[in-house]
Amino acid sequence: MTAPSNRDLMKLRSLLLFLSVVVLALLLLSAGGFYWLVARTPMRLLGSEATATPGAALFVPKQAPAMVSLLLNPEQLETAQLVATPLAKRRQVREELAQLKQSLLATTGMEYERDIQPWLGQEITLAVTTLDLDYDAANGQQPGYLAAIATQDPQKSREFLELFWQKRAIAGSDLVFEQYKGVKIIAANAPAVEVDRESTTRRPKPPNYRLQVQPPKSPVSPAPTPALASAAVGDRFILFANHPKVLREAINNVQAPDLSLEQSKLFTRAIDSLTQPRIGLTFVNLPKFTQWLREFPATKPVQPLKTVNTETNVDDETALLKQSLIAGFTLNAQGLLAETALLSPDGAATALPSLSQPVGALQYVPVNASFAASGKDLDRQWTQLVKGLAPYETAAQLIQQPLQDLQTRWQFDLSADVFSWVKGEYALAMLPPDGVGANGVLHPDWVFATQRPQTEAGQQAIAQLDALATQHGLTVGPLALSDRTVSAWTRLTASAKRASQPLNLQADVQGVHATVGKYELFTTSVAAMDSALKAVDRSLVSREAFKQATTSLLQPNNGYLYLDWNASQPLLEQQFPVLKVIELAGKPVFDRLRSLTISSYGSQSGVQRGGAFVQLETD
């Protein structure tokens, strides 16, 4: 047996990446229409789904990196979408949904309406069950993937499986049958596997059907070959996986319930912490999930920002492996709404939210901002964020990388020189780049507004910024802007096109500082400062998308993190190349995506609660 080629692995990853967004796509595509019906007959449509939990959790091991579930039949979402869509656009919606189904079944020879719709039940669950199928670091990692699909007609779903594998056999696939603890497992292109001969049933089969027995292990075992395997378990679910071993472990989890995620006290506690109705659920083991993400070329290298001491107890591995995030999803008129809960074995100190409306500092954030973070006491929030993300390199990089450009341009230690004295309101915003810089690199402008500190130490810290700018070779001086005077940090250079010509003095503005009322404003350019000063009449808080997001999330809270997708997409793709792959896999979703807003609701009883709102185009 030969190890899989890089091309095979890339194909498998592309397929699995697509499968991982299918459930989310079904939710997002139907957001507006589903709300139309829920608003009129909520109990009839939601019913028990208002507090539903994934039944497929009994197949998923406690140590699984991630699981995502749709707890509603997709047909209900599709019907709702069509009912709420204007007649002129219903054809477009049908084509988008048909394209999604066709892409999913493109290589199977199956038809959704004929072969799947008649038996499809009220749940679709996808899970990453393990980081490595054979736990052998010598041959690399191959994660295990599981799909559990509920059936409302066991007979039709079993007929579907038989037809599915018949078509695979006719197409030339080499099929393997295995009877494991009373459940029939069928696989295609499977590797050699260990099979209990007494529990394996041979049966007449076409020439391309065979039974494989694992040869003696070599010193370095080859990696498990990518495969597709299925099983029908009882009368509730049919399972698909990328390796028969994943199905065997799923069956073990059912017969020994203590092994399953369903019986995990942490999972049960997380479920109980959610209070809002839901039609979808996601569970993530944060350390293992970020480890899984490292297998993908997600980001460019980045130097971490200087921060306060964030060392973690590396010996406390057990505690880190138990940190979990759970999110319940529902839909409203503008998009997808999530309620989140972060749990850890050590719990979290009680910290109640203090804001009942957007902070006043947002009045200086221009309406066209592509990103904005706002709240109160940035010093405390940043310290907690950095400490919380310290064990998760990938997640920490997602936060730190966008700020790297700002730190480089100002040449400040943002944590020590700026964030440390911000105890009151603040708003940090990124404006869309004005054109493309050298080598095609985008450099956005930044706006930072904060309440002036009342302490002498805080006021001295602001004055110290001018001194730091001077130490870095910048000239600090007054600049007339409209009807006020601001302070500019400028790098002066002298040059001449020819040696015989006189020198020309050029000024490159690196930063601008202004005091307005009770706020201190800092920007990376004169144009950005001008926009901030004029934003009072047309700021981000007046933007309809921001209003809808803030009214959808719960109050009180600790502020908002807002991302305008269209405005920030080019920069995000530059910083995180893998995003283009994800966009391609979830094209129907990203074509409708408008914005993402996240908020924290504080922590209590050892649970950190929050919310997220994904705004979509619904007309």
Side-chain angles (χ1 to χ4, degrees):
M1 181 188 69
T2 59
S5 66
N6 289 336
R7 185 176 180 182
D8 291 335
L9 291 173
M10 289 177 65
K11 287 182 178 179
L12 178 66
R13 279 190 176 180
S14 297
L15 172 63
L16 294 171
L17 185 60
F18 176 78
L19 288 174
S20 67
V21 301
V22 168
V23 171
L24 185 60
L26 290 169
L27 291 172
L28 298 182
L29 284 173
S30 308
F34 185 77
Y35 172 79
W36 189 92
L37 290 182
V38 170
R40 290 157 176 76
T41 54
M43 295 308 296
R44 182 171 64 86
L45 276 179
L46 283 178
S48 60
E49 286 81 12
T51 56
T53 58
L58 82 166
F59 299 111
V60 180
K62 289 181 179 180
Q63 299 80 13
M67 179 185 76
V68 58
S69 300
L70 173 66
L71 303 174
L72 199 66
N73 190 300
E75 293 306 310
Q76 291 175 267
L77 296 177
E78 182 174 345
T79 300
Q81 174 68 25
L82 291 174
V83 169
T85 300
L87 290 175
K89 293 190 176 182
R90 288 186 182 180
R91 181 177 179 181
Q92 176 185 348
V93 172
R94 287 193 181 97
E95 290 176 350
E96 289 176 348
L97 293 170
Q99 181 182 4
L100 181 63
K101 298 170 185 176
Q102 182 179 356
S103 299
L104 182 60
L105 302 173
T107 61
T108 66
M110 312 294 285
E111 294 181 10
Y112 176 81
E113 287 79 6
R114 182 192 66 196
D115 302 314
I116 298 177
Q117 182 178 340
W119 58 264
L120 187 60
Q122 296 290 317
E123 178 180 340
I124 301 175
T125 290
L126 305 173
V128 183
T129 61
T130 180
L131 295 176
D132 194 5
L133 285 170
D134 62 359
Y135 305 101
D136 187 350
N139 59 24
Q141 286 191 342
Q142 181 183 322
Y145 300 97
L146 176 70
I149 307 173
T151 174
Q152 60 183 354
D153 190 328
Q155 180 61 33
K156 288 189 183 308
S157 59
R158 292 176 186 272
E159 291 173 358
F160 160 77
L161 284 181
E162 291 182 6
L163 179 62
F164 175 83
W165 289 114
Q166 285 176 12
K167 289 181 177 291
R168 301 280 292 194
I170 293 172
S173 294
D174 193 11
L175 304 188
V176 178
F177 287 83
E178 175 188 350
Q179 197 76 15
Y180 184 78
K181 295 186 177 181
V183 178
K184 183 173 70 173
I185 297 176
I186 308 176
N189 298 326
V193 294
E194 293 183 356
V195 178
D196 184 348
R197 295 186 179 182
E198 295 182 358
S199 65
T200 302
T201 302
R202 294 181 178 271
R203 56 180 292 185
K205 44 191 176 288
N208 62 334
Y209 283 32
R210 64 189 175 91
L211 179 67
Q212 297 176 315
V213 180
Q214 182 171 343
K217 284 191 175 182
S218 59
V220 178
S221 301
T225 305
L228 180 64
S230 74
V233 182
D235 294 334
R236 293 182 59 196
F237 288 94
I238 65 170
L239 308 181
F240 284 95
N242 65 323
H243 195 281
K245 184 176 182 180
V246 177
L247 296 182
R248 292 191 212 104
E249 292 180 348
I251 295 168
N252 290 340
N253 293 336
V254 176
Q255 298 186 357
D258 288 345
L259 301 176
S260 71
L261 183 62
E262 183 184 55
Q263 297 299 315
S264 166
K265 293 181 179 179
L266 195 65
F267 179 72
T268 303
R269 180 182 168 207
I271 291 284
D272 291 342
S273 68
L274 301 179
T275 61
Q276 303 299 307
R278 55 182 177 270
I279 62 167
L281 192 77
T282 295
F283 182 83
V284 178
N285 179 315
L286 290 175
K288 288 195 173 184
F289 184 72
T290 53
Q291 186 177 348
W292 175 64
L293 289 179
R294 292 193 194 107
E295 295 298 309
F296 298 89
T299 59
K300 298 179 180 180
V302 61
Q303 295 296 324
L305 299 180
K306 296 179 182 178
T307 61
V308 295
N309 182 14
T310 59
E311 294 182 359
T312 58
N313 183 359
V314 294
D315 294 329
D316 195 10
E317 182 178 1
T318 302
L320 289 179
L321 290 177
K322 290 182 179 179
Q323 294 184 12
S324 305
L325 174 70
I326 193 165
F329 297 92
T330 189
L331 298 166
N332 70 11
Q334 288 81 36
L336 182 67
L337 185 62
E339 180 190 14
T340 65
L342 177 64
L343 301 94
S344 68
D346 297 331
T350 298
L352 300 180
S354 58
L355 298 175
S356 57
Q357 60 184 4
V359 295
L362 281 167
Q363 65 185 300
Y364 298 106
V365 174
V367 70
N368 67 330
S370 56
F371 165 86
S374 60
K376 195 173 182 180
D377 197 352
L378 179 58
D379 179 32
R380 178 180 58 82
Q381 290 189 357
W382 177 253
T383 300
Q384 290 178 346
L385 179 64
V386 171
K387 286 184 176 180
L389 293 179
Y392 313 117
E393 180 181 350
T394 303
Q397 192 170 349
L398 291 174
I399 298 297
Q400 294 182 351
Q401 191 159 322
L403 295 178
Q404 190 68 43
D405 176 68
L406 177 60
Q407 180 158 286
T408 300
R409 291 166 73 174
W410 278 348
Q411 296 186 345
F412 293 157
D413 178 344
L414 288 178
S415 178
D417 298 333
V418 181
F419 296 170
S420 62
W421 51 264
V422 179
K423 308 296 183 181
E425 297 177 1
Y426 72 89
L428 176 65
M430 183 174 67
L431 307 184
D434 185 12
V436 180
N439 301 321
V441 178
L442 301 172
H443 291 290
D445 269 326
W446 289 85
V447 173
F448 180 58
T450 181
Q451 278 184 310
R452 187 180 309 106
Q454 300 301 311
T455 64
E456 183 178 351
Q459 295 173 5
Q460 290 178 351
I462 295 176
Q464 180 66 16
L465 294 178
D466 286 342
L468 290 172
T470 302
Q471 292 176 14
H472 294 141
L474 302 180
T475 299
V476 179
L479 174 69
L481 183 61
S482 298
D483 59 347
R484 77 175 60 245
T485 299
V486 300
S487 178
W489 303 329
T490 308
R491 188 178 302 280
L492 300 177
T493 57
S495 62
K497 294 183 178 179
R498 298 178 183 177
S500 59
Q501 292 182 340
L503 295 176
N504 292 322
L505 190 63
Q506 296 180 339
D508 182 15
V509 176
Q510 299 292 307
V512 183
H513 172 212
T515 300
V516 184
K518 63 178 183 179
Y519 293 95
E520 299 288 336
L521 273 59
F522 301 87
T523 68
T524 51
S525 71
V526 176
M529 178 60 75
D530 187 51
S531 296
L533 293 173
K534 295 177 180 178
V536 178
D537 298 327
R538 194 164 179 264
S539 66
L540 181 63
V541 293
S542 66
R543 188 173 181 173
E544 190 62 29
F546 188 78
K547 288 181 180 179
Q548 292 173 352
T550 54
T551 55
S552 297
L553 295 168
L554 298 182
Q555 293 179 348
N557 56 48
N558 287 322
Y560 303 99
L561 188 152
Y562 174 82
L563 178 73
D564 180 290
W565 171 246
N566 290 330
S568 59
Q569 182 180 4
L571 185 64
L572 290 174
E573 291 176 346
Q574 173 183 286
Q575 297 288 340
F576 310 107
V578 74
L579 185 59
K580 293 183 179 180
V581 179
I582 298 174
E583 290 173 32
L584 182 62
K587 192 175 186 301
V589 178
F590 287 95
D591 284 348
R592 292 178 177 270
L593 182 58
R594 291 182 60 191
S595 67
L596 169 66
T597 308
I598 300 173
S599 185
S600 168
Y601 304 151
S603 58
Q604 195 170 12
S605 301
V607 180
Q608 298 181 44
R609 299 181 61 246
F613 179 64
V614 181
Q615 189 176 45
L616 305 166
E617 294 284 355
T618 57
D619 50 12

